[in-house]
Amino acid sequence: MAQTNEKINLEELFESLSEELPEDTDLSELSEKWQYYLKHPIDLNKTDGMELIELQFIDPLLIQRLIEHRQVSGNFINALEIQSIAGFNTRLVSLLLPFVKVGEASPLTGNKFKDVSHEFILRYGRPLELTKGYQITDTTRSRYLGDPNRFAIRYRANLKDEIRLAINMEKDAGEPFFRDKQKLGFDFYGISLFVKSIGPIRNLVVGDYALQFGQGLSMWNGLSFGKGGLVQNTARQGIGVKQYTSLNEVNFMRGITGTLQLQRFEVTPYFSYRPIDANVVDDSAGTRVIKTIAQSGLHRTATEQRYRNAAHQMTYGLNVLWRYNRFKIGIHVNQSQLDAIRLRGAAKRQQYDFEGDVLQNISLYTNYTFRNAHLFGEYANSLDGGSAILLGSIVSLHPRLSTVVLVRNYRKNYHTFYGQGFGESGNTANEEGMYAGLTYQLARKLVWSSYMDIFRFPEAKYQADTGSVGADFFSQLSYIWYKKGQLILRYRNRLKQTNYIGQGQTESGLVNSSKQQLRIEFQYKLNAIWTIRSRAEANLFKREYEDNSLGYLFYQDVFWKPDINKIQLNTRIAYFQTDSYDNRFYAYENDVLYASGFGMYHTKGWRAYVNLRYKINPNLDIWAKYGVYYYPDKDTIGSGLEEISGNRKSEIKLQLRWQL
């Protein structure tokens, strides 16, 4: 199953973990880990649960049940036994099976570790139509300083899974390459060395690393997922120290860290010093001040080049975790210092933002599993005044029914540079809410998932200049044919308040809006070679005092993998039409290895792409992708420096992988 449904499973996993991610989000941090466990499956008879946590889609209550099942019933004889464990419904089992094994794997899986393994990837991509930013020759105007080519190099070395080396290099489209301000070539370089164990020290990382503690209120680097089809995933499972291997250029640490095991205590000190992108100027007194911190990682124009590495951030801290059977409690403290003073913005929504050059945080987090309940929570405080708290539980009310409840209260003046707490907004501040969800297995092949999230923003936020409220309702019914396919029916309704920009006034200055979405998706494995997937989706957007707007999307995917196993192909053809930007769609798109992402479907047009993989020999693979958006009713696409003359937007991508 790992060989035949690999791409299908990864797509479903990403869309289940998060509904909407930006187009340029690099998902390699997680896809690389999944690919690793596809090649080296987790032994159910040896795991202590940490590897299962790394998969990110199994809730802690089920992990505990799996380990208890092994302790009571003895070792697993076959991986399919997980179907007999309460809570492991057909959908979850189908997602998990490719990543696990029992005992020694067969020679076909390639699971035997070599003493040393190497992987080298060279990736090239570029748009085929030049945007306005490349065509401007006037050096006094804003323009792209580099060419439209994208390059990325990735190298991985693994010594018996005990020592791992990761090297990344990347140049984005529009950035200079070995010239001007990029005389060193690539815009981004990343390197990290991971050592699994040195005596009492484990998970030692030198270079780029990520930290994930508690529920993410104070410290969570790398990817974080919000509301999605896997309802129980709202309970974060911090894995502590991890090697950072992503091409995302923000929200990671650069320095040294490691975990010291002292009986029941795990002590993790860390130190990081790295440049950040910022608009830095001198004030009237000659003091360096930061007006804005940039998070895009792009350095294409003169302004973006001026922001590049303009400030530095030093962060250090300590995390102490104590474990006792099913109980964990941890404390985390850190301090971040900037080499310039950050100023808050002038907008209403920025009036409580952090201002200064030193920020200190402290948090206390815990979780406890008791019988059929998993309780978790975290309290965090920024020592300049604000606090944040999150409490939750996952409870199995019946072998077929489990629920999750989560409440959160993030104060308006709580500040964190690295927090990514669960919520409707992304800044872990100025938000209160309650989330309640359930998963019910109606029959062996039929699973129903649903959640309700009600939230409130006490103060101004983006697109709302005063306090506002909202709600999010989600329901999904999944019918699964084991190893064959599935049928999914999904409904979602999101309610929000935003500024009123029409004539006249409203009592609060806000208007109510709603976006209802309906999706039906069918996926089926026709035979050992062909798999198909079809989706139809529609949405209705309503805002007071405005006309309703509609959007719909249809796409057909085809996966072809012949028995010779040298060549694979998948393709998509999609048609979409949206009346407004509020009706836009996001859908996961397959790509070359480690480069998958979410595409945005907006206005009226067609989207098509084709991916091809060819295995030249056991050590050498090549991938190629061509994708195109076609807008029949447009003369131009995009705006500003990204404007394209014409109605077509296309790109190509080539990737070569050598492994030994």
Side-chain angles (χ1 to χ4, degrees):
M1 188 171 181
Q3 299 298 318
T4 56
N5 282 345
E6 177 180 316
K7 280 190 174 294
I8 301 292
N9 281 330
L10 296 190
E11 171 164 357
E12 183 182 352
L13 281 172
F14 276 125
E15 290 205 313
S16 296
L17 288 171
S18 186
E19 285 293 296
E20 296 176 359
L21 288 173
E23 286 183 277
D24 57 352
T25 299
D26 178 32
L27 302 174
S28 63
E29 175 187 336
L30 193 49
S31 62
E32 187 173 350
K33 180 62 66 176
W34 285 342
Q35 292 286 352
Y36 175 82
Y37 283 126
L38 284 171
K39 190 174 182 180
H40 307 289
I42 301 165
D43 191 335
L44 293 175
N45 290 330
K46 295 181 180 179
T47 181
D48 62 356
M50 289 303 296
E51 300 101 328
L52 297 172
I53 290 175
E54 287 188 286
L55 295 178
Q56 298 246 354
F57 61 85
I58 310 175
D59 72 64
L61 186 58
L62 293 184
I63 293 176
Q64 184 64 38
R65 283 182 179 175
L66 186 149
I67 294 174
E68 289 179 348
H69 176 87
R70 186 182 67 199
Q71 293 171 342
V72 173
S73 304
N75 283 348
F76 289 90
I77 299 174
N78 190 294
L80 290 173
E81 289 181 47
I82 61 177
Q83 296 177 105
S84 65
I85 304 174
F88 280 85
N89 56 57
T90 305
R91 181 172 181 237
L92 184 58
V93 169
S94 68
L95 291 174
L96 179 60
L97 279 178
F99 299 100
V100 297
K101 67 171 184 176
V102 170
E104 293 299 323
S106 70
L108 296 177
T109 63
N111 189 53
K112 292 285 188 179
F113 282 109
K114 300 176 181 178
D115 286 345
V116 182
S117 63
H118 302 270
E119 182 182 75
F120 177 84
I121 289 179
L122 176 62
R123 182 187 303 160
Y124 167 80
R126 66 164 291 156
L128 298 183
E129 293 80 22
L130 289 182
T131 64
K132 182 182 290 186
Y134 299 105
Q135 301 175 29
I136 297 174
T137 57
D138 186 350
T139 57
T140 63
R141 297 175 57 190
S142 178
R143 60 192 179 96
Y144 292 154
L145 303 177
D147 58 52
N149 297 314
R150 297 191 297 267
F151 297 103
I153 294 177
R154 303 162 57 97
Y155 172 72
R156 304 289 184 267
N158 190 326
L159 174 61
K160 295 183 178 180
D161 201 38
E162 295 292 328
I163 300 176
R164 297 198 294 265
L165 174 67
I167 299 176
N168 292 329
M169 308 176 195
E170 185 195 37
K171 169 206 175 294
D172 292 306
E175 294 176 340
F177 194 48
F178 285 106
R179 63 181 179 85
D180 298 332
K181 295 186 177 181
Q182 288 300 126
K183 290 183 171 56
L184 294 179
F186 290 92
D187 175 72
F188 175 71
Y189 289 92
I191 183 171
S192 59
L193 179 67
F194 171 89
V195 181
K196 194 170 187 178
S197 179
I198 304 178
I201 301 176
R202 60 181 180 85
N203 296 345
L204 174 68
V205 184
V206 179
D208 294 348
Y209 63 91
L211 300 172
Q212 297 182 352
F213 297 125
Q215 295 299 308
L217 301 191
S218 177
M219 177 62 69
W220 195 280
N221 299 135
L223 287 175
S224 65
F225 298 100
K227 293 173 282 190
L230 293 175
V231 172
Q232 277 72 21
N233 192 64
T234 52
R236 299 259 172 95
Q237 301 178 75
I239 61 176
V241 174
K242 59 184 292 187
Q243 190 177 21
Y244 187 78
T245 60
S246 173
L247 293 174
N248 286 325
E249 299 179 32
V250 296
N251 194 24
F252 67 94
M253 301 294 195
R254 177 167 287 174
I256 185 170
T257 186
T259 298
L260 182 65
Q261 188 77 51
L262 300 172
Q263 296 181 346
R264 298 187 184 276
F265 286 92
E266 297 175 9
V267 182
T268 305
Y270 58 89
F271 175 83
S272 170
Y273 183 78
R274 57 181 295 262
I276 59 174
D277 294 349
N279 181 12
V280 180
V281 299
D282 292 333
D283 65 10
S284 57
T287 304
R288 277 168 41 92
V289 298
I290 299 174
K291 289 190 172 183
T292 57
I293 293 179
Q295 300 285 341
S296 70
L298 297 173
H299 309 107
R300 305 159 299 178
T301 66
T303 298
E304 291 173 345
Q305 282 286 326
R306 181 170 61 83
Y307 287 5
R308 183 178 185 269
N309 299 343
H312 289 79
Q313 185 173 29
M314 180 171 64
T315 303
Y316 48 90
L318 179 71
N319 187 82
V320 179
L321 177 66
W322 183 72
R323 300 173 183 262
Y324 183 75
N325 295 333
R326 302 178 181 180
F327 178 73
K328 300 177 186 177
I329 186 169
I331 185 170
H332 174 250
V333 294
N334 77 77
Q335 175 169 300
S336 287
Q337 185 165 347
L338 303 169
D339 64 355
I341 296 176
R342 183 180 182 182
L343 302 180
R344 65 172 62 99
K348 286 186 178 181
R349 60 186 174 87
Q350 298 172 315
Q351 60 183 318
Y352 298 104
D353 286 358
F354 170 72
E355 185 170 271
D357 60 349
V358 176
L359 176 61
Q360 298 170 319
N361 288 93
I362 183 169
S363 71
L364 181 70
Y365 60 91
T366 184
N367 62 68
Y368 177 55
T369 303
F370 176 72
R371 294 184 179 178
N372 293 328
H374 177 77
L375 310 177
F376 56 93
E378 181 175 6
Y379 171 81
N381 189 276
S382 53
L383 299 188
D384 59 348
S387 64
I389 187 170
L390 181 149
L391 299 171
S393 67
I394 299 175
V395 181
S396 178
L397 302 176
H398 184 273
R400 293 188 174 186
L401 176 64
S402 64
T403 64
V404 57
V405 176
L406 184 151
V407 294
R408 60 196 185 273
N409 187 345
Y410 309 149
R411 297 298 179 89
K412 61 189 178 184
N413 58 341
Y414 174 67
H415 303 137
T416 173
F417 284 125
Y418 298 106
Q420 296 187 67
F422 174 87
E424 180 67 18
S425 62
N427 57 359
T428 319
N430 185 37
E431 182 174 343
E432 303 167 2
M434 184 181 76
Y435 173 99
L438 63 86
T439 299
Y440 182 43
Q441 187 166 352
L442 300 169
R444 190 174 69 88
K445 298 180 180 180
L446 197 61
V447 179
W448 177 45
S449 300
S450 187
Y451 71 72
M452 174 183 66
D453 186 33
I454 299 174
F455 45 87
R456 172 176 174 263
F457 304 102
E459 299 292 338
K461 61 178 289 290
Y462 177 65
Q463 292 186 333
D465 290 340
T466 186
S468 58
V469 297
D472 187 359
F473 303 94
F474 172 96
S475 188
Q476 176 174 290
L477 195 63
S478 304
Y479 184 82
I480 298 103
W481 295 272
Y482 177 63
K483 286 191 177 182
K484 281 290 188 180
Q486 63 182 7
L487 178 67
I488 295 176
L489 181 64
R490 173 182 296 186
Y491 171 78
R492 189 179 186 187
N493 189 9
R494 285 173 286 183
L495 309 173
K496 290 185 179 181
Q497 292 181 313
T498 56
N499 290 328
Y500 178 55
I501 56 176
Q503 295 181 349
Q505 294 182 343
T506 64
E507 184 175 343
S508 65
L510 304 176
V511 291
N512 298 317
S513 67
S514 70
K515 184 177 182 179
Q516 299 183 70
Q517 298 171 270
L518 184 64
R519 175 191 300 177
I520 183 169
E521 182 173 310
F522 175 72
Q523 174 186 307
Y524 195 72
K525 184 181 176 184
L526 299 174
N527 52 45
I529 298 176
W530 294 95
T531 300
I532 61 171
R533 178 174 52 241
S534 307
R535 176 183 293 183
E537 187 167 359
N539 64 49
L540 172 65
F541 183 80
K542 298 180 179 180
R543 182 183 282 128
E544 287 184 294
Y545 309 110
E546 296 182 12
D547 294 334
N548 297 342
S549 58
L550 295 168
Y552 52 86
L553 164 71
F554 305 96
Y555 73 63
Q556 178 65 54
D557 289 350
V558 177
F559 295 81
W560 177 66
K561 187 174 183 180
D563 293 336
I564 58 174
N565 204 30
K566 277 187 171 291
I567 188 169
Q568 298 177 36
L569 183 145
N570 68 81
T571 184
R572 168 176 296 177
I573 180 71
Y575 177 77
F576 54 93
Q577 183 170 332
T578 62
D579 292 341
S580 71
Y581 183 73
D582 295 307
N583 298 108
R584 66 193 181 278
F585 295 95
Y586 291 90
Y588 179 89
E589 295 191 352
N590 292 113
D591 210 314
V592 302
L593 185 66
Y594 305 143
S596 51
F598 283 72
M600 187 179 73
Y601 298 74
H602 170 48
T603 67
K604 176 183 178 181
W606 295 83
R607 169 65 170 167
Y609 66 76
V610 58
N611 284 296
L612 177 68
R613 176 195 177 187
Y614 183 72
K615 194 169 187 178
I616 299 173
N617 60 48
N619 299 324
L620 194 62
D621 305 81
I622 187 168
W623 280 262
K625 178 180 180 179
Y626 171 75
V628 59
Y629 285 97
Y630 173 64
Y631 303 92
D633 298 336
K634 286 192 172 186
D635 296 322
T636 59
I637 302 171
S639 60
L641 297 182
E642 282 294 290
E643 182 179 299
I644 295 174
S645 178
N647 58 9
R648 188 185 304 270
K649 179 182 178 182
S650 57
E651 72 281 346
I652 58 169
K653 195 174 292 184
L654 299 172
Q655 179 166 292
L656 183 73
R657 179 179 69 166
W658 173 80
Q659 54 184 344
L660 181 64

